[in-house]
Amino acid sequence: MNKKLLPIILVGVIFLSVVIFYAPTNNWNWDPSFYYAQIRSPIIENDLNFRNETITRDICTPATVTGLQGSIWPIGPGILWSPFFLLAHLFVSIVIPAKANGFSVPYIALVSFGSAFYGMAGVFILYKVCRYYAGRFLSIITVLLTLFATPVFYYIYRQPIMPHSTGFFIAALLLLCTIMLIKNQIDQKWSGLIFGVLVGLSFLLRWAGILVVIFPLVYFISAITQSVKARDPRELRRWIIQIFVGVLSFVLTISPQLALWQRLYANFLVMPQGAGTFVDNLLPINLFKVFFDTNRGIIFWCPFVLIGMLGIIRIPELKLRIPGLIYLVSQIIIIGYRLDWFSGGGFGARYFVELLPMLAVGFICLVRGFSEKPVARVALAILAAALIIHQFVLVYVVEQAINNWLNFADYLKGLPLGKRWQLNSLIRLVKNPGLWFEFRPYTSFLRQSILVNLVSGVLDLRAYLISATAAVLAPLAVVLVLWTKKLKRSMLLPYIPIGVVMYMVTWAVYLTVVG
């Protein structure tokens, strides 16, 4: 295929995927309400009183010692969305000032697109990671499986106002930078800055994200050990400086969270998710359910995750294999301790989303020897198609659960759902393909996909504003991503991580003085 045509084809595929799948939900009754509040309240209302934004329904958030509403949700998603929010605010303030309230369509459209953009950027980064371990065919198969056969699809195309698309992006970027540092493709003098910023961002997106610290720990311990063995004090000093820079950049990166905790709880160091999150037992008693339960156990809901787990042991680089295994095991154990091991009210096995870049490498390392044969490639393509269709069925069933596709009350409680409903749902959809184009219940026509609205004959232009925004901006974003590939790495380092640190410190100062 002509290489000049590839960008055009890619832009076309992204555009069509938005038209067909992109339909951000308007569920403000749980986590999205809080993530969004943490940017809207300080920017629009110049305060940190989140009760004006959050619609908590069954979530109890008592006042803290400062009299403000507490928040167990990290501030990272909101800050990563904030450039898109601020762009929307600038546009609305100039064009339609009466709608500059933080909730009108331009805000929702741009923030939703921004979060989805991070997820798709993560997909591009993951492809680059895969190319270190496999050829183009297996890399494309792996990326397609990661995107469409896991909950990543849902949190990019259906519920972007959640931390998972941004978490996936940071996880993929951290993995890429780790590989490049191991292979000396990034100057080691930037290792502390890069690791500090990325570990900080990972923590800001999900508390358990702090576990990625194992990657720089193994990297630096290995480097220091080699310096000691070589009896090279100058090299040892360099690595100690890098560790210091890493710690400093980590603290500066998480400074907005520290500032927010101080304002909400009168304490810089807080862990809002308390004992009610975890089982009252010394053992992670939900481990078996994490794998085998019919309500979001990975064997029934995301087999690709299990396949990727099996392959991590075959990753060739010891500096990547060891932290990868420790990171995987520690995350699984934490999930096993959680009362909501089943991902609560979210879709699918979402607690594994940030693990997916590592699991994708594991998948490649497990099957790449097998994938060299033509017959094997056909088999892999068939497997990929089956797993993708399986995930699409799950998305449809959960979104249409109220129409007797499954027991939604049991789904929300994490109770077993039985073993035949998935097959029965697939058969039902095969027999009646028109069901794929049904409106989602309890979701207005403003939040349906462009394709569903077109098929349903919706003529109201308002129905297309949010999805059309993404349909227009997504191809432009792809062009931007492709353009950045042509830039020299020296043009991006160290300016991007330093810029991130400066942005975070600015936010920390603002949160300290706001209101």
Side-chain angles (χ1 to χ4, degrees), residues 250-269:
F250 169 79
V251 173
L252 292 176
T253 300
I254 69 168
S255 60
Q257 187 67 66
L258 303 179
L260 180 64
W261 279 339
Q262 174 63 27
R263 293 296 305 275
L264 298 185
Y265 299 94
N267 194 330
F268 282 109
L269 295 175

Side-chain angles (χ1 to χ4, degrees), residues 13 29 34 70 106 109 128 153 177 188 196 221 225 229 239 269 279 291 305 326 339 343 351 376 401 405 422:
V13 169
N29 297 318
F34 286 87
K128 185 172 180 61
F153 166 79
C177 289
Q188 295 171 345
I221 288 173
T225 301
K229 287 182 178 180
W239 286 115
L269 295 175
V279 299
F291 287 89
V305 165
I326 296 173
L339 291 170
S343 303
Y351 293 149
W405 286 85
Q422 291 190 16

Side-chain angles (χ1 to χ4, degrees), residues 283-324:
L283 299 175
I285 57 176
N286 289 321
L287 276 181
F288 182 84
K289 293 180 180 179
V290 169
F291 287 89
F292 300 105
D293 199 282
T294 55
N295 191 340
R296 285 169 277 183
I298 59 175
I299 286 180
F300 289 96
W301 283 74
C302 199
F304 176 72
V305 165
L306 183 61
I307 300 172
M309 288 181 185
L310 298 175
I312 288 183
I313 193 67
R314 302 190 64 176
I315 294 175
E317 298 92 349
L318 191 64
K319 293 179 184 179
L320 197 61
R321 183 169 70 247
I322 290 177

Side-chain angles (χ1 to χ4, degrees), residues 14 17-18 21-25 77 80-81 84 107-125 147 151-170 466-467 469-471 473-475 477-478 481:
I14 295 294
S17 74
V18 172
F21 301 122
Y22 187 75
T25 60
L80 287 180
W81 301 335
F84 300 92
Y107 293 95
I108 306 304
L110 276 174
V111 171
S112 297
F113 167 75
S115 187
F117 168 75
Y118 284 121
M120 290 308 300
V123 172
F124 279 87
I125 293 170
L147 175 59
V152 167
F153 166 79
Y154 184 83
Y155 290 104
I156 289 178
Y157 287 93
R158 315 297 268 190
Q159 182 64 349
I161 301 186
M162 282 285 280
H164 300 297
S165 56
T166 48
F168 175 76
F169 165 70
I170 295 300
I466 293 175
S467 295
T469 298
L473 294 180
V478 173
V481 170

Side-chain angles (χ1 to χ4, degrees), residues 400-422:
Q400 299 283 344
I402 198 68
N403 292 330
N404 298 319
W405 286 85
L406 56 72
N407 188 323
F408 198 53
D410 287 349
Y411 175 87
L412 294 177
K413 295 175 183 177
L415 299 176
L417 299 174
K419 297 178 180 178
R420 286 197 54 85
W421 66 271
Q422 291 190 16

Side-chain angles (χ1 to χ4, degrees), residues 204-278:
L204 285 180
L205 292 169
R206 289 192 67 237
W207 306 129
I210 191 64
L211 293 174
V212 299
V213 74
I214 189 61
F215 290 94
L217 277 177
V218 170
Y219 178 80
F220 288 128
I221 288 173
S222 174
I224 288 175
T225 301
Q226 291 176 13
S227 299
V228 171
K229 287 182 178 180
R231 298 182 179 181
D232 187 341
R234 293 182 61 186
E235 189 69 11
L236 179 61
R237 193 180 306 115
R238 289 194 193 100
W239 286 115
I240 292 174
I241 291 172
Q242 287 305 311
I243 293 173
F244 174 79
V245 171
V247 172
L248 178 62
S249 56
F250 169 79
V251 173
L252 292 176
T253 300
I254 69 168
S255 60
Q257 187 67 66
L258 303 179
L260 180 64
W261 279 339
Q262 174 63 27
R263 293 296 305 275
L264 298 185
Y265 299 94
N267 194 330
F268 282 109
L269 295 175
V270 178
M271 183 46 68
Q273 275 191 324
T277 304
F278 302 100

Side-chain angles (χ1 to χ4, degrees), residues 289-507:
K289 293 180 180 179
V290 169
F291 287 89
F292 300 105
D293 199 282
T294 55
N295 191 340
R296 285 169 277 183
I298 59 175
I299 286 180
F300 289 96
W301 283 74
C302 199
F304 176 72
V305 165
L306 183 61
I307 300 172
M309 288 181 185
L310 298 175
I312 288 183
I313 193 67
R314 302 190 64 176
I315 294 175
E317 298 92 349
L318 191 64
K319 293 179 184 179
L320 197 61
R321 183 169 70 247
I322 290 177
L325 285 169
I326 296 173
Y327 179 50
L328 171 65
V329 172
S330 58
Q331 286 279 24
I332 292 173
I333 290 173
I334 287 178
I335 297 171
Y337 276 113
R338 292 188 67 107
L339 291 170
D340 64 343
W341 58 269
F342 50 91
S343 303
F347 171 78
R350 64 189 176 99
Y351 293 149
F352 287 91
V353 166
E354 288 76 16
L355 282 163
L356 285 172
M358 197 76 226
L359 296 172
V361 173
F363 174 82
I364 284 179
C365 293
L366 185 67
V367 306
R368 62 182 171 184
F370 166 77
S371 67
E372 297 300 321
K373 301 175 183 178
V375 174
R377 291 192 169 201
V378 174
L380 281 174
I382 293 172
L383 172 65
L387 293 180
I388 290 170
I389 291 171
H390 168 250
Q391 195 69 199
F392 279 6
V393 170
L394 294 177
V395 171
Y396 182 90
V397 168
V398 171
E399 290 183 336
Q400 299 283 344
I402 198 68
N403 292 330
N404 298 319
W405 286 85
L406 56 72
N407 188 323
F408 198 53
D410 287 349
Y411 175 87
L412 294 177
K413 295 175 183 177
L415 299 176
L417 299 174
K419 297 178 180 178
R420 286 197 54 85
W421 66 271
Q422 291 190 16
L423 178 60
N424 292 338
S425 299
L426 175 60
I427 294 172
R428 187 174 169 185
L429 286 165
V430 169
K431 288 183 177 180
N432 190 355
L435 292 172
W436 289 104
F437 305 104
E438 290 287 318
F439 267 53
R440 286 176 295 168
Y442 301 112
T443 303
S444 74
F445 66 93
L446 301 174
R447 303 301 186 94
Q448 307 294 335
S449 71
I450 292 175
L451 179 62
V452 166
N453 276 329
L454 288 174
V455 170
S456 302
V458 176
L459 299 178
D460 191 332
L461 292 180
R462 293 177 303 163
Y464 300 93
L465 290 177
I466 293 175
S467 295
T469 298
V472 171
L473 294 180
L476 298 177
V478 173
V479 172
L480 175 64
V481 170
L482 293 175
W483 175 73
T484 59
K485 291 177 64 178
K486 298 181 179 180
L487 296 179
K488 293 182 179 179
R489 198 174 300 127
S490 59
M491 296 177 64
L492 302 178
L493 285 174
Y495 304 112
I496 290 180
I498 289 177
V500 171
V501 170
M502 293 176 62
Y503 190 68
M504 292 298 173
V505 171
T506 301
W507 259 100

